[in-house]
Every structure is written in C-alpha cells, then in structure tokens.
Amino acid sequence: MFLNALEHLLRRKLLTVALIVFGVFMLLFWWGLSSSAKTAGGFHNESGEGMNGMVTPEDKAWMAMATAGPMLATILIGLTIILGASVLPDEIASGRLSLWASLPQSRRSLYLSTTLAPLALSTALGYLFFITAALLIRAYFPFTPANLTLALVAMPIWISVTWAAVTTLSLIMGKIPAMLVTFILGGFSATMGSIVELGKSIPEVGGSGIYRVANTVTMVFPIDRGYRAILAGLLPARSTIDEFLALMGYSGAVSPTELLYPLIWSVLLIFLGFVVFRKMEVQ
Amino acid sequence: MSTAKAITLRDVSKSYGSVKALADLTLEIPEGSAMAVLGENGAGKTTMIRVILGLASRDSGWAAIRDTDSKDHLARRRVRYLPERVQFPEWATPGDVFRHIERVRHEATPAEFKDRAGELECGDLLNRKFGKMSKGQRQRLALALATAGRPDMAILDEPSSGLDPMGRILVRKTVARLASGGTTILLCSHLLGEVEQVCTHAAFLNKGRLVANDSLENLSRFTGAAEIQTQEPGRMTEELGRAGFSCRTEQGSVIAVLQEEGTIAGLAASAAKSGVPFSGIQMKRETLEDVFMRVTERGEQLVP
C-alpha cells in the first residue's frame, strides 16, 4: 500500500509543477551566484569604502544559503501540506477508501502506508532542494558545512511536523480547512521562531512578553527548530558573520537534542490521527 | 452447498445517532450459497455489508466471516467486495488498479483479471484511463477487479447499477458463473429479476430488522393456480373445464385454479387424458416482487 500511495503521489501534476518551480528558482539562484562571484562584492562601511577583505567565501556562502533557504522552505512546506492532504484524505473524500479498507489489511497498515508515503516523498524533495542549493553555492564559494549529519537528520523531523499536522487535522476537520490551518500555523510559528532567535542573541528581547508568546507558539507548533537545524547544519562552519545573521533569525546555535521535541510532537500527533482513523466509519 | 457458515451475524445492532440502522440482526449465510439481501432504500443492507467487512463498527452483537470476527482483517482473505458507488482515480488504468489491489491481497494473476474482464466484455479497456470511460464501463471493470481469480466469497452491492441491458446480462452471467463455481455470493440488488436468476436464497430487511430469510422457493407462496404450456390453449381450457377445473387463458398459457398444491397430479392426469398436446405444467408461485411487496409494504414477517 505504501508503494501504491507513493505511485499515486508521483503521478500528480503538482509534483511536476513543483519541480519546474524549483528548477526555475535554481536557475535564477545560479545566475545570482555566478554574477556575485564575478563582481568584487563585499560590504561597504558608512563612508562607502569597500571592506572586501573582511568578507570570506564562507560568509558569502552563508548569505547565499540564508537567501535560498526561505524560498526552498516555502516551496517544500507548501508541497508537504498538499501531499500530506492528498492520499488518505483524498481517498476518504472520493469514497475510494472502502475499496482499500475492504482488502485483507489492518487499519494500522492502511494508515501507516498511506500517510508515510507523503512524508517520504517530501523528505526526498527536501534533500534534493537543499543539497542542490548547497552544492551550487559550494561551486562558487567553497565551504565546509558546519554539521551535515545534523542537517540530514533534521530534514525529516522538520517536515514531519507539517505532515503530522495536516494528516491528523484533515481527519478531524476535512482536507481544505486542515491545509489552511496548517499553513497559517506554520507561517505564524516560523515568524515567532525568528523572535525566539532574536531573544537568544539580545537579552532585552529575551526577557520580553513577546518572547514568551513566541516561545509558546513554537512549542505548540514546533516547525521552527527543524528548519533552523537544517540551516545550522548546512551553513559554513567558519563564517565571520554569525552574529549579524542571528539578528535576521538564522542563529547557528541549534543543539541536536532540540530536535527531540518536534520528533515526539509529530509521533504523538500522527498517533492521534491513527486513533481517529481506527474509529472512522468507512463510507 | 455446505453447512459451514460463510457469514454469521448474531444480534447485531448499529445506530447512527437516533437512527437504528440494524436492530438485533441475526443471519447466517451458508458457504457456497447465493444469498440476496433485499429491502427498501435505507433498510440497512449496505450497513450490514459494512459491518460484515469491518468497515463500520457495530454497537452490539457479533459478526464473523468463516468464524473469524469481522473486526479482524484476516477475516477478509479471499473475500471480495464491490461497493455500490465505486470510484477509481481518473489517472489510473484498470491495470494500475489491479496491480495496486494485488500488492495487498495477493489472490489473483493478471491473466485471471484479463479473463474476467473478457467475460464482462471490457478486456480491451485494461490500458485506458478510468477518466476516459463511461459509467457502465467503469462498473463492469469494477466487477472484474472485485471478482478476478477464484474468490471464496463475493459481496456485491448493486453490481448492475448504471448498466445498460447488455451490461446487466453480462454481470448476471458472471455472478452466476461465480456461484456455480462454489463462490459464496452475497448480493444486494433492487433488480428482483436479476436476483431470481442468480440467487438461491433471500433475506429481507425492513428498518434494520430481518423480516424474511429462506430459499427463494420457500419464500414464494403457492398462488392457488397452475400453468399449462400448450399450443392450443382454447382447446385445453375447454377440455379441463369438462373435467371440472376452472380455467382461463393468459398470455398463451392455460391457468387452472387449484384448491391445494397436491391436486396438481389430478390436473396433469386430466390434461394428459384430454389428448391436447402440452409441453409443461407447473405450480404458479409468487414472484420475488410479490414476496417483496408482502414483506416490505404489508409488513409480513417470515422469520420467527
């Protein structure tokens, strides 16, 4: 059934569109990278004097990754929401579920196979997107990723938060409301995540009420930690502008243990979805 | 037909809110039988099927397939189901769907599927996308997908839905072929003529209750008459009248009134004695439609 669900997803036109969008974005990104590599580039001080000597290739790689990251994340989260709401909710809405549920397979097997396929596909696309971007950047600005293992491990955990949310919510409230709620929660939580990052760097922010709210939101919908762990893992190890980028919400300080919370959150939520599915009357 | 039970329902109740879909339903379907489940819309037929297949929960009672609780997915091995409204992905071909189904059930080969599709005269559609098929073509392929190979049991909910007369004939032949091959059939259909030709037994549901359950022969009552097929109905009517039988002609046959079933021997003897050639003589019994009206409209109960 897992292969059936995967085939169902791979045959969708949506995937082709997403890959075309990714391809176009990568072409533009490549163009931008090659242009910046040809020019002197660098920062300028307040009097307009060049500070090229202060900007290392790692710094440029840092900036390039920080530019590409949000775009790739947006495409990927959008795809995860649509794919996650595609197999099981679609089968339920179309009345096809009775066909599959009447076969000699358990509800658990049916649930896991149909829900794990979108997670697997989204994770594979995540690796494709981020590793392609990193390799492209590396071709122009050589760098060594700070912690590649962390990035690889963080990818499925990051995606699983969106996947678990859209899967379970779609079983409770229906496909379209679930997609909208997940999208809004995801965007809100990502924004709040930036405030949390600021709070870590600036003590005044860290003690504020908005920091506490932001922290709570990122706990309720922990989409933020995984994404920042991917960036922290992929970004250059020896950049000189970590502090500057921390202000933009891209702190490199993500400990692997911080990934445990979103992982447990996803497992619990997808289990809740199973409880709902197991009791569901198949039409 | 064996005495083993293919399906057992014991005091099964199921409600949707305040609506009682099944009320203490007890029914046994012997292995190898062809049982029709009949009743008006909303009588509980589809709910009963869904409980048997574990697609819907039951509030109380016990449901089993070959003594395995229907909640256990292993009970559904070699059991096939054709839902009333079957949907397939528009992008998929019947070949794709068969491959997908067989990845789970492992019970039929592509050749067997092709054969069944051939029986239903849709073998040339196996590589066409469902999105480009008519409703009738989809329905016939749905039946081919559901019954490919040699299933032990086929649960068919309105298999002729949306089919033209030729399609209905093909479906009927396929179901009859399955039944004669030993497959237990559970058929829900509003086409009583189809049921009469395919099934040996019928159960009637009314508001979730079992109101009749027997062989078709036992369900239909003697109507108090016998039919004699003859090329000379006028002469036969005259001759039998002389012998003391009250007769009339009806659609080229002679209908003779009988006080009781046992007197048919006397009628046959009189017909033979009359010298008028005849090809057959049989008791006139109720049609399934008559039985249906009796148990659903007039509320007659034919079960204890």
Side-chain angles (χ1 to χ4, degrees), chain B residues 75-115:
Chain B
R76 298 193 292 273
R77 278 187 301 195
R78 304 201 66 77
V79 175
R80 307 296 178 75
Y81 173 48
L82 177 68
E84 185 178 359
R85 280 182 293 276
V86 64
Q87 302 280 341
F88 297 108
E90 300 281 295
W91 52 264
T93 66
D96 292 330
V97 175
F98 175 75
R99 191 162 37 82
H100 290 182
I101 288 173
E102 283 308 318
R103 271 182 189 150
V104 179
R105 75 179 178 196
H106 311 291
E107 291 173 8
T109 64
E112 286 173 321
F113 172 51
K114 206 174 167 186
D115 287 348

mmCIF file of all heavy atoms in Angstrom, chain B residues 75-115:
data_model
loop_
_atom_site.group_PDB
_atom_site.id
_atom_site.type_symbol
_atom_site.label_atom_id
_atom_site.label_comp_id
_atom_site.label_asym_id
_atom_site.label_seq_id
_atom_site.Cartn_x
_atom_site.Cartn_y
_atom_site.Cartn_z
ATOM 1 N N ALA B 75 -10.041 -11.923 8.428
ATOM 2 C CA ALA B 75 -11.339 -12.491 8.027
ATOM 3 C C ALA B 75 -11.636 -12.170 6.563
ATOM 4 O O ALA B 75 -12.398 -12.873 5.906
ATOM 5 C CB ALA B 75 -12.443 -11.940 8.913
ATOM 6 N N ARG B 76 -11.031 -11.109 6.046
ATOM 7 C CA ARG B 76 -11.350 -10.665 4.689
ATOM 8 C C ARG B 76 -10.503 -11.335 3.606
ATOM 9 O O ARG B 76 -10.590 -10.967 2.431
ATOM 10 C CB ARG B 76 -11.202 -9.139 4.589
ATOM 11 C CG ARG B 76 -12.150 -8.389 5.490
ATOM 12 C CD ARG B 76 -12.207 -6.927 5.143
ATOM 13 N NE ARG B 76 -10.977 -6.221 5.441
ATOM 14 C CZ ARG B 76 -10.669 -5.677 6.614
ATOM 15 N NH1 ARG B 76 -11.531 -5.750 7.611
ATOM 16 N NH2 ARG B 76 -9.536 -5.041 6.791
ATOM 17 N N ARG B 77 -9.687 -12.330 4.004
ATOM 18 C CA ARG B 77 -8.889 -13.038 2.993
ATOM 19 C C ARG B 77 -9.820 -13.791 2.044
ATOM 20 O O ARG B 77 -10.734 -14.480 2.490
ATOM 21 C CB ARG B 77 -7.897 -13.998 3.653
ATOM 22 C CG ARG B 77 -6.642 -13.272 4.105
ATOM 23 C CD ARG B 77 -5.617 -14.228 4.602
ATOM 24 N NE ARG B 77 -6.132 -15.004 5.714
ATOM 25 C CZ ARG B 77 -5.380 -15.720 6.537
ATOM 26 N NH1 ARG B 77 -4.079 -15.756 6.370
ATOM 27 N NH2 ARG B 77 -5.901 -16.403 7.515
ATOM 28 N N ARG B 78 -9.593 -13.672 0.780
ATOM 29 C CA ARG B 78 -10.363 -14.315 -0.295
ATOM 30 C C ARG B 78 -11.837 -13.896 -0.287
ATOM 31 O O ARG B 78 -12.712 -14.596 -0.778
ATOM 32 C CB ARG B 78 -10.226 -15.846 -0.250
ATOM 33 C CG ARG B 78 -8.770 -16.315 -0.299
ATOM 34 C CD ARG B 78 -8.628 -17.723 -0.761
ATOM 35 N NE ARG B 78 -9.031 -17.914 -2.131
ATOM 36 C CZ ARG B 78 -8.309 -17.570 -3.202
ATOM 37 N NH1 ARG B 78 -7.127 -17.007 -3.048
ATOM 38 N NH2 ARG B 78 -8.763 -17.800 -4.409
ATOM 39 N N VAL B 79 -12.077 -12.739 0.335
ATOM 40 C CA VAL B 79 -13.427 -12.159 0.311
ATOM 41 C C VAL B 79 -13.349 -10.900 -0.544
ATOM 42 O O VAL B 79 -12.490 -10.061 -0.336
ATOM 43 C CB VAL B 79 -13.891 -11.792 1.745
ATOM 44 C CG1 VAL B 79 -15.241 -11.071 1.701
ATOM 45 C CG2 VAL B 79 -13.984 -13.041 2.597
ATOM 46 N N ARG B 80 -14.221 -10.806 -1.503
ATOM 47 C CA ARG B 80 -14.183 -9.656 -2.414
ATOM 48 C C ARG B 80 -15.408 -8.779 -2.215
ATOM 49 O O ARG B 80 -16.479 -9.269 -1.872
ATOM 50 C CB ARG B 80 -14.146 -10.139 -3.864
ATOM 51 C CG ARG B 80 -13.051 -11.136 -4.160
ATOM 52 C CD ARG B 80 -11.670 -10.527 -3.974
ATOM 53 N NE ARG B 80 -10.640 -11.514 -4.228
ATOM 54 C CZ ARG B 80 -10.298 -11.945 -5.423
ATOM 55 N NH1 ARG B 80 -10.926 -11.486 -6.483
ATOM 56 N NH2 ARG B 80 -9.352 -12.844 -5.561
ATOM 57 N N TYR B 81 -15.210 -7.512 -2.460
ATOM 58 C CA TYR B 81 -16.286 -6.554 -2.213
ATOM 59 C C TYR B 81 -16.395 -5.586 -3.377
ATOM 60 O O TYR B 81 -15.400 -5.005 -3.810
ATOM 61 C CB TYR B 81 -15.980 -5.800 -0.915
ATOM 62 C CG TYR B 81 -16.914 -4.656 -0.600
ATOM 63 C CD1 TYR B 81 -18.303 -4.813 -0.681
ATOM 64 C CD2 TYR B 81 -16.417 -3.421 -0.199
ATOM 65 C CE1 TYR B 81 -19.155 -3.760 -0.372
ATOM 66 C CE2 TYR B 81 -17.261 -2.369 0.120
ATOM 67 C CZ TYR B 81 -18.627 -2.550 0.030
ATOM 68 O OH TYR B 81 -19.467 -1.512 0.337
ATOM 69 N N LEU B 82 -17.598 -5.440 -3.863
ATOM 70 C CA LEU B 82 -17.880 -4.410 -4.866
ATOM 71 C C LEU B 82 -18.833 -3.412 -4.224
ATOM 72 O O LEU B 82 -20.011 -3.709 -4.017
ATOM 73 C CB LEU B 82 -18.521 -5.033 -6.115
ATOM 74 C CG LEU B 82 -18.914 -4.027 -7.194
ATOM 75 C CD1 LEU B 82 -17.680 -3.391 -7.825
ATOM 76 C CD2 LEU B 82 -19.760 -4.687 -8.269
ATOM 77 N N PRO B 83 -18.335 -2.202 -3.885
ATOM 78 C CA PRO B 83 -19.221 -1.223 -3.245
ATOM 79 C C PRO B 83 -20.268 -0.709 -4.237
ATOM 80 O O PRO B 83 -20.105 -0.840 -5.449
ATOM 81 C CB PRO B 83 -18.278 -0.096 -2.832
ATOM 82 C CG PRO B 83 -16.900 -0.555 -3.108
ATOM 83 C CD PRO B 83 -16.972 -1.685 -4.064
ATOM 84 N N GLU B 84 -21.305 -0.105 -3.672
ATOM 85 C CA GLU B 84 -22.384 0.407 -4.523
ATOM 86 C C GLU B 84 -21.876 1.525 -5.427
ATOM 87 O O GLU B 84 -22.157 1.554 -6.614
ATOM 88 C CB GLU B 84 -23.524 0.920 -3.633
ATOM 89 C CG GLU B 84 -24.737 1.368 -4.420
ATOM 90 C CD GLU B 84 -25.874 1.834 -3.531
ATOM 91 O OE1 GLU B 84 -25.728 1.794 -2.295
ATOM 92 O OE2 GLU B 84 -26.908 2.224 -4.090
ATOM 93 N N ARG B 85 -21.135 2.436 -4.830
ATOM 94 C CA ARG B 85 -20.581 3.533 -5.642
ATOM 95 C C ARG B 85 -19.069 3.397 -5.622
ATOM 96 O O ARG B 85 -18.406 3.795 -4.673
ATOM 97 C CB ARG B 85 -20.985 4.897 -5.064
ATOM 98 C CG ARG B 85 -22.398 5.300 -5.440
ATOM 99 C CD ARG B 85 -22.723 6.674 -4.882
ATOM 100 N NE ARG B 85 -22.781 6.661 -3.435
ATOM 101 C CZ ARG B 85 -23.862 6.314 -2.741
ATOM 102 N NH1 ARG B 85 -24.958 5.979 -3.355
ATOM 103 N NH2 ARG B 85 -23.838 6.314 -1.420
ATOM 104 N N VAL B 86 -18.548 2.826 -6.679
ATOM 105 C CA VAL B 86 -17.107 2.580 -6.702
ATOM 106 C C VAL B 86 -16.425 3.687 -7.507
ATOM 107 O O VAL B 86 -16.920 4.111 -8.548
ATOM 108 C CB VAL B 86 -16.798 1.167 -7.244
ATOM 109 C CG1 VAL B 86 -17.220 0.996 -8.667
ATOM 110 C CG2 VAL B 86 -15.344 0.809 -7.063
ATOM 111 N N GLN B 87 -15.339 4.175 -6.957
ATOM 112 C CA GLN B 87 -14.598 5.266 -7.590
ATOM 113 C C GLN B 87 -13.170 4.819 -7.837
ATOM 114 O O GLN B 87 -12.596 4.128 -7.007
ATOM 115 C CB GLN B 87 -14.556 6.482 -6.658
ATOM 116 C CG GLN B 87 -15.901 7.015 -6.246
ATOM 117 C CD GLN B 87 -16.522 7.885 -7.310
ATOM 118 O OE1 GLN B 87 -15.825 8.372 -8.195
ATOM 119 N NE2 GLN B 87 -17.818 8.070 -7.246
ATOM 120 N N PHE B 88 -12.622 5.246 -8.942
ATOM 121 C CA PHE B 88 -11.214 4.963 -9.211
ATOM 122 C C PHE B 88 -10.518 6.277 -9.564
ATOM 123 O O PHE B 88 -11.165 7.188 -10.080
ATOM 124 C CB PHE B 88 -11.078 3.989 -10.384
ATOM 125 C CG PHE B 88 -11.695 2.643 -10.118
ATOM 126 C CD1 PHE B 88 -12.850 2.257 -10.744
ATOM 127 C CD2 PHE B 88 -11.108 1.768 -9.212
ATOM 128 C CE1 PHE B 88 -13.427 1.030 -10.483
ATOM 129 C CE2 PHE B 88 -11.677 0.536 -8.947
ATOM 130 C CZ PHE B 88 -12.840 0.167 -9.588
ATOM 131 N N PRO B 89 -9.204 6.344 -9.335
ATOM 132 C CA PRO B 89 -8.512 7.580 -9.722
ATOM 133 C C PRO B 89 -8.634 7.785 -11.238
ATOM 134 O O PRO B 89 -8.474 6.831 -11.996
ATOM 135 C CB PRO B 89 -7.054 7.318 -9.321
ATOM 136 C CG PRO B 89 -7.094 6.165 -8.380
ATOM 137 C CD PRO B 89 -8.296 5.370 -8.726
ATOM 138 N N GLU B 90 -8.899 9.000 -11.625
ATOM 139 C CA GLU B 90 -9.094 9.308 -13.053
ATOM 140 C C GLU B 90 -7.850 8.992 -13.877
ATOM 141 O O GLU B 90 -7.944 8.604 -15.035
ATOM 142 C CB GLU B 90 -9.431 10.804 -13.224
ATOM 143 C CG GLU B 90 -10.686 11.234 -12.500
ATOM 144 C CD GLU B 90 -11.967 10.863 -13.221
ATOM 145 O OE1 GLU B 90 -12.187 11.388 -14.308
ATOM 146 O OE2 GLU B 90 -12.732 10.021 -12.691
ATOM 147 N N TRP B 91 -6.674 9.122 -13.254
ATOM 148 C CA TRP B 91 -5.425 8.946 -13.993
ATOM 149 C C TRP B 91 -5.051 7.474 -14.150
ATOM 150 O O TRP B 91 -4.179 7.130 -14.940
ATOM 151 C CB TRP B 91 -4.269 9.687 -13.308
ATOM 152 C CG TRP B 91 -4.123 9.350 -11.841
ATOM 153 C CD1 TRP B 91 -4.630 10.062 -10.799
ATOM 154 C CD2 TRP B 91 -3.461 8.218 -11.250
ATOM 155 N NE1 TRP B 91 -4.323 9.451 -9.604
ATOM 156 C CE2 TRP B 91 -3.604 8.320 -9.850
ATOM 157 C CE3 TRP B 91 -2.753 7.137 -11.777
ATOM 158 C CZ2 TRP B 91 -3.084 7.385 -8.978
ATOM 159 C CZ3 TRP B 91 -2.231 6.199 -10.900
ATOM 160 C CH2 TRP B 91 -2.396 6.329 -9.524
ATOM 161 N N ALA B 92 -5.715 6.626 -13.382
ATOM 162 C CA ALA B 92 -5.284 5.214 -13.358
ATOM 163 C C ALA B 92 -6.007 4.385 -14.415
ATOM 164 O O ALA B 92 -7.135 4.682 -14.801
ATOM 165 C CB ALA B 92 -5.570 4.630 -11.977
ATOM 166 N N THR B 93 -5.338 3.352 -14.863
ATOM 167 C CA THR B 93 -5.961 2.383 -15.766
ATOM 168 C C THR B 93 -6.425 1.193 -14.914
ATOM 169 O O THR B 93 -5.954 1.024 -13.782
ATOM 170 C CB THR B 93 -4.954 1.881 -16.817
ATOM 171 O OG1 THR B 93 -3.934 1.145 -16.135
ATOM 172 C CG2 THR B 93 -4.335 3.027 -17.608
ATOM 173 N N PRO B 94 -7.319 0.360 -15.437
ATOM 174 C CA PRO B 94 -7.702 -0.841 -14.672
ATOM 175 C C PRO B 94 -6.490 -1.703 -14.329
ATOM 176 O O PRO B 94 -6.440 -2.297 -13.247
ATOM 177 C CB PRO B 94 -8.647 -1.567 -15.632
ATOM 178 C CG PRO B 94 -9.218 -0.479 -16.470
ATOM 179 C CD PRO B 94 -8.114 0.513 -16.659
ATOM 180 N N GLY B 95 -5.516 -1.727 -15.232
ATOM 181 C CA GLY B 95 -4.291 -2.485 -14.969
ATOM 182 C C GLY B 95 -3.554 -1.937 -13.750
ATOM 183 O O GLY B 95 -3.064 -2.697 -12.911
ATOM 184 N N ASP B 96 -3.502 -0.617 -13.644
ATOM 185 C CA ASP B 96 -2.858 0.017 -12.479
ATOM 186 C C ASP B 96 -3.587 -0.381 -11.196
ATOM 187 O O ASP B 96 -2.957 -0.759 -10.204
ATOM 188 C CB ASP B 96 -2.920 1.554 -12.585
ATOM 189 C CG ASP B 96 -2.065 2.112 -13.703
ATOM 190 O OD1 ASP B 96 -1.041 1.482 -14.023
ATOM 191 O OD2 ASP B 96 -2.430 3.177 -14.255
ATOM 192 N N VAL B 97 -4.916 -0.257 -11.225
ATOM 193 C CA VAL B 97 -5.697 -0.529 -10.006
ATOM 194 C C VAL B 97 -5.567 -2.001 -9.622
ATOM 195 O O VAL B 97 -5.422 -2.319 -8.439
ATOM 196 C CB VAL B 97 -7.176 -0.120 -10.191
ATOM 197 C CG1 VAL B 97 -8.005 -0.507 -8.961
ATOM 198 C CG2 VAL B 97 -7.289 1.377 -10.434
ATOM 199 N N PHE B 98 -5.571 -2.880 -10.616
ATOM 200 C CA PHE B 98 -5.413 -4.310 -10.315
ATOM 201 C C PHE B 98 -4.058 -4.558 -9.641
ATOM 202 O O PHE B 98 -3.965 -5.275 -8.636
ATOM 203 C CB PHE B 98 -5.531 -5.138 -11.606
ATOM 204 C CG PHE B 98 -5.265 -6.595 -11.389
ATOM 205 C CD1 PHE B 98 -6.224 -7.399 -10.777
ATOM 206 C CD2 PHE B 98 -4.056 -7.180 -11.757
ATOM 207 C CE1 PHE B 98 -5.975 -8.746 -10.545
ATOM 208 C CE2 PHE B 98 -3.803 -8.516 -11.525
ATOM 209 C CZ PHE B 98 -4.769 -9.303 -10.924
ATOM 210 N N ARG B 99 -3.031 -3.922 -10.198
ATOM 211 C CA ARG B 99 -1.677 -4.071 -9.623
ATOM 212 C C ARG B 99 -1.674 -3.574 -8.171
ATOM 213 O O ARG B 99 -1.109 -4.212 -7.293
ATOM 214 C CB ARG B 99 -0.709 -3.269 -10.492
ATOM 215 C CG ARG B 99 0.749 -3.476 -10.236
ATOM 216 C CD ARG B 99 1.611 -2.999 -11.404
ATOM 217 N NE ARG B 99 1.122 -1.793 -12.052
ATOM 218 C CZ ARG B 99 1.340 -0.553 -11.620
ATOM 219 N NH1 ARG B 99 2.036 -0.363 -10.534
ATOM 220 N NH2 ARG B 99 0.871 0.499 -12.278
ATOM 221 N N HIS B 100 -2.317 -2.426 -7.961
ATOM 222 C CA HIS B 100 -2.361 -1.864 -6.605
ATOM 223 C C HIS B 100 -3.097 -2.792 -5.639
ATOM 224 O O HIS B 100 -2.647 -3.022 -4.521
ATOM 225 C CB HIS B 100 -3.061 -0.497 -6.631
ATOM 226 C CG HIS B 100 -2.244 0.554 -7.299
ATOM 227 N ND1 HIS B 100 -2.655 1.856 -7.407
ATOM 228 C CD2 HIS B 100 -1.041 0.497 -7.911
ATOM 229 C CE1 HIS B 100 -1.734 2.551 -8.048
ATOM 230 N NE2 HIS B 100 -0.748 1.757 -8.366
ATOM 231 N N ILE B 101 -4.229 -3.313 -6.097
ATOM 232 C CA ILE B 101 -5.020 -4.197 -5.227
ATOM 233 C C ILE B 101 -4.228 -5.468 -4.918
ATOM 234 O O ILE B 101 -4.159 -5.914 -3.772
ATOM 235 C CB ILE B 101 -6.371 -4.540 -5.906
ATOM 236 C CG1 ILE B 101 -7.283 -3.311 -5.903
ATOM 237 C CG2 ILE B 101 -7.055 -5.711 -5.200
ATOM 238 C CD1 ILE B 101 -8.568 -3.493 -6.694
ATOM 239 N N GLU B 102 -3.609 -6.029 -5.927
ATOM 240 C CA GLU B 102 -2.891 -7.293 -5.732
ATOM 241 C C GLU B 102 -1.637 -7.150 -4.874
ATOM 242 O O GLU B 102 -1.162 -8.120 -4.297
ATOM 243 C CB GLU B 102 -2.563 -7.939 -7.078
ATOM 244 C CG GLU B 102 -3.751 -8.620 -7.728
ATOM 245 C CD GLU B 102 -4.464 -9.616 -6.816
ATOM 246 O OE1 GLU B 102 -3.794 -10.378 -6.109
ATOM 247 O OE2 GLU B 102 -5.704 -9.600 -6.791
ATOM 248 N N ARG B 103 -1.108 -5.924 -4.808
ATOM 249 C CA ARG B 103 0.025 -5.702 -3.892
ATOM 250 C C ARG B 103 -0.402 -5.983 -2.457
ATOM 251 O O ARG B 103 0.405 -6.300 -1.606
ATOM 252 C CB ARG B 103 0.492 -4.238 -3.986
ATOM 253 C CG ARG B 103 1.534 -4.004 -5.045
ATOM 254 C CD ARG B 103 1.955 -2.538 -5.032
ATOM 255 N NE ARG B 103 2.784 -2.233 -6.173
ATOM 256 C CZ ARG B 103 2.830 -1.043 -6.758
ATOM 257 N NH1 ARG B 103 2.078 -0.055 -6.310
ATOM 258 N NH2 ARG B 103 3.619 -0.845 -7.779
ATOM 259 N N VAL B 104 -1.697 -5.844 -2.206
ATOM 260 C CA VAL B 104 -2.204 -6.065 -0.851
ATOM 261 C C VAL B 104 -2.802 -7.462 -0.703
ATOM 262 O O VAL B 104 -2.518 -8.164 0.253
ATOM 263 C CB VAL B 104 -3.264 -4.991 -0.480
ATOM 264 C CG1 VAL B 104 -3.808 -5.230 0.923
ATOM 265 C CG2 VAL B 104 -2.677 -3.603 -0.598
ATOM 266 N N ARG B 105 -3.633 -7.886 -1.672
ATOM 267 C CA ARG B 105 -4.375 -9.131 -1.419
ATOM 268 C C ARG B 105 -3.696 -10.402 -1.935
ATOM 269 O O ARG B 105 -3.964 -11.481 -1.430
ATOM 270 C CB ARG B 105 -5.817 -9.010 -1.945
ATOM 271 C CG ARG B 105 -5.973 -9.086 -3.433
ATOM 272 C CD ARG B 105 -7.442 -8.985 -3.862
ATOM 273 N NE ARG B 105 -7.529 -9.011 -5.321
ATOM 274 C CZ ARG B 105 -8.585 -8.648 -6.019
ATOM 275 N NH1 ARG B 105 -9.661 -8.223 -5.407
ATOM 276 N NH2 ARG B 105 -8.572 -8.711 -7.337
ATOM 277 N N HIS B 106 -2.862 -10.314 -2.960
ATOM 278 C CA HIS B 106 -2.116 -11.473 -3.487
ATOM 279 C C HIS B 106 -3.026 -12.671 -3.785
ATOM 280 O O HIS B 106 -2.778 -13.777 -3.323
ATOM 281 C CB HIS B 106 -1.028 -11.933 -2.503
ATOM 282 C CG HIS B 106 -0.168 -10.822 -2.005
ATOM 283 N ND1 HIS B 106 0.727 -10.153 -2.793
ATOM 284 C CD2 HIS B 106 -0.060 -10.237 -0.781
ATOM 285 C CE1 HIS B 106 1.346 -9.220 -2.101
ATOM 286 N NE2 HIS B 106 0.876 -9.245 -0.874
ATOM 287 N N GLU B 107 -4.082 -12.466 -4.504
ATOM 288 C CA GLU B 107 -5.041 -13.553 -4.727
ATOM 289 C C GLU B 107 -5.353 -13.840 -6.189
ATOM 290 O O GLU B 107 -5.999 -14.839 -6.486
ATOM 291 C CB GLU B 107 -6.361 -13.242 -3.993
ATOM 292 C CG GLU B 107 -6.237 -13.301 -2.480
ATOM 293 C CD GLU B 107 -7.486 -12.829 -1.760
ATOM 294 O OE1 GLU B 107 -8.502 -12.587 -2.432
ATOM 295 O OE2 GLU B 107 -7.433 -12.699 -0.524
ATOM 296 N N ALA B 108 -4.962 -13.002 -7.089
ATOM 297 C CA ALA B 108 -5.299 -13.234 -8.499
ATOM 298 C C ALA B 108 -4.138 -12.825 -9.396
ATOM 299 O O ALA B 108 -3.331 -11.970 -9.028
ATOM 300 C CB ALA B 108 -6.550 -12.444 -8.866
ATOM 301 N N THR B 109 -4.061 -13.457 -10.554
ATOM 302 C CA THR B 109 -2.987 -13.140 -11.502
ATOM 303 C C THR B 109 -3.524 -12.165 -12.551
ATOM 304 O O THR B 109 -4.745 -12.085 -12.755
ATOM 305 C CB THR B 109 -2.508 -14.405 -12.205
ATOM 306 O OG1 THR B 109 -3.612 -14.921 -12.984
ATOM 307 C CG2 THR B 109 -2.033 -15.462 -11.222
ATOM 308 N N PRO B 110 -2.630 -11.461 -13.235
ATOM 309 C CA PRO B 110 -3.092 -10.563 -14.306
ATOM 310 C C PRO B 110 -3.895 -11.315 -15.370
ATOM 311 O O PRO B 110 -4.871 -10.776 -15.907
ATOM 312 C CB PRO B 110 -1.784 -10.009 -14.889
ATOM 313 C CG PRO B 110 -0.808 -10.102 -13.767
ATOM 314 C CD PRO B 110 -1.184 -11.329 -13.002
ATOM 315 N N ALA B 111 -3.515 -12.574 -15.628
ATOM 316 C CA ALA B 111 -4.245 -13.359 -16.636
ATOM 317 C C ALA B 111 -5.683 -13.615 -16.179
ATOM 318 O O ALA B 111 -6.626 -13.550 -16.983
ATOM 319 C CB ALA B 111 -3.525 -14.681 -16.875
ATOM 320 N N GLU B 112 -5.836 -13.876 -14.885
ATOM 321 C CA GLU B 112 -7.190 -14.115 -14.360
ATOM 322 C C GLU B 112 -8.042 -12.841 -14.433
ATOM 323 O O GLU B 112 -9.235 -12.896 -14.735
ATOM 324 C CB GLU B 112 -7.113 -14.608 -12.906
ATOM 325 C CG GLU B 112 -6.640 -16.049 -12.806
ATOM 326 C CD GLU B 112 -6.386 -16.493 -11.378
ATOM 327 O OE1 GLU B 112 -5.858 -15.686 -10.570
ATOM 328 O OE2 GLU B 112 -6.684 -17.660 -11.059
ATOM 329 N N PHE B 113 -7.397 -11.722 -14.169
ATOM 330 C CA PHE B 113 -8.116 -10.449 -14.278
ATOM 331 C C PHE B 113 -8.530 -10.197 -15.732
ATOM 332 O O PHE B 113 -9.660 -9.782 -16.013
ATOM 333 C CB PHE B 113 -7.234 -9.309 -13.753
ATOM 334 C CG PHE B 113 -7.796 -7.939 -13.992
ATOM 335 C CD1 PHE B 113 -9.108 -7.630 -13.627
ATOM 336 C CD2 PHE B 113 -7.023 -6.946 -14.584
ATOM 337 C CE1 PHE B 113 -9.632 -6.359 -13.858
ATOM 338 C CE2 PHE B 113 -7.537 -5.688 -14.816
ATOM 339 C CZ PHE B 113 -8.842 -5.389 -14.455
ATOM 340 N N LYS B 114 -7.595 -10.497 -16.627
ATOM 341 C CA LYS B 114 -7.878 -10.299 -18.057
ATOM 342 C C LYS B 114 -9.048 -11.196 -18.495
ATOM 343 O O LYS B 114 -9.934 -10.763 -19.242
ATOM 344 C CB LYS B 114 -6.611 -10.644 -18.857
ATOM 345 C CG LYS B 114 -6.527 -9.946 -20.188
ATOM 346 C CD LYS B 114 -5.196 -10.230 -20.844
ATOM 347 C CE LYS B 114 -5.265 -9.801 -22.294
ATOM 348 N NZ LYS B 114 -4.057 -10.169 -23.019
ATOM 349 N N ASP B 115 -9.039 -12.422 -18.001
ATOM 350 C CA ASP B 115 -10.129 -13.353 -18.339
ATOM 351 C C ASP B 115 -11.471 -12.823 -17.857
ATOM 352 O O ASP B 115 -12.465 -12.856 -18.575
ATOM 353 C CB ASP B 115 -9.881 -14.727 -17.687
ATOM 354 C CG ASP B 115 -8.759 -15.474 -18.380
ATOM 355 O OD1 ASP B 115 -8.353 -15.020 -19.474
ATOM 356 O OD2 ASP B 115 -8.287 -16.487 -17.820
#
